[in-house]
Amino acid sequence: MVLAVGFVPFLIIATLHLTTMFGPSDLGVRCARSGGTGQCEVLQSRCFGLFGNSSFKIDQTDIAGAETVAPRPAVGGHGSASCAVALRLKTGPYHEYPVLSYAVCGRADAATRRLNGYFADPGSSSIAIRDDVTLRIGQIN
């Protein structure tokens, strides 16, 4: 019992330390248009969506669309099975900025299609796609 109680703070500190070193994880994206202009807000978290959440905005004029980023096969057959959804940016140091991660590439493809449908339709007023944090925590176990 004492070990279990002591393990929880250790796990929280280790998680914060690792996410500080490697940066925040992607939690989703929210885009909205009004008056002909629009912005997308990239949602991020430092601790599985529980706390340390932040966001930043990107003008939609700087976004060329969305794409699914699949893992590349590696020598020896080792590699991640997860896929990411990334915004393709026209300017800046990052040309693919990840906004969502999925364990199944089919879900990533569906989210990419939804985002590209929104970008292609100027009549769409908004879209929001968030990571299901409970699924992400379940994937860690």
Side-chain angles (χ1 to χ4, degrees), residues 8-125:
V8 172
F10 172 77
L11 184 62
I12 291 171
I13 291 170
T15 301
L16 288 174
H17 180 68
L18 289 173
T19 55
T20 299
M21 287 181 358
F22 299 114
S25 63
D26 45 350
L27 265 183
V29 63
R30 254 189 317 240
C31 300
R33 290 185 184 112
S34 64
T37 62
Q39 288 187 327
C40 288
E41 183 178 18
V42 178
L43 310 171
Q44 298 178 320
S45 176
R46 292 209 175 269
C47 189
F48 309 116
L50 302 175
F51 56 88
N53 300 335
S54 63
S55 66
F56 65 93
K57 295 182 181 186
I58 301 172
D59 286 332
Q60 287 184 25
T61 57
D62 293 335
I63 300 172
E67 65 182 14
T68 301
V69 180
R72 295 185 178 129
V75 175
H78 300 307
S80 173
S82 65
C83 289
V85 176
L87 295 177
R88 286 190 323 256
L89 302 178
K90 296 176 184 174
T91 61
Y94 304 107
H95 295 290
E96 294 174 349
Y97 197 91
V99 293
L100 289 158
S101 298
Y102 292 104
V104 180
C105 289
R107 291 184 65 206
D109 287 336
T112 299
R113 282 191 300 274
R114 285 184 57 204
L115 281 170
N116 283 329
Y118 166 79
F119 293 133
D121 181 11
S124 295
S125 61

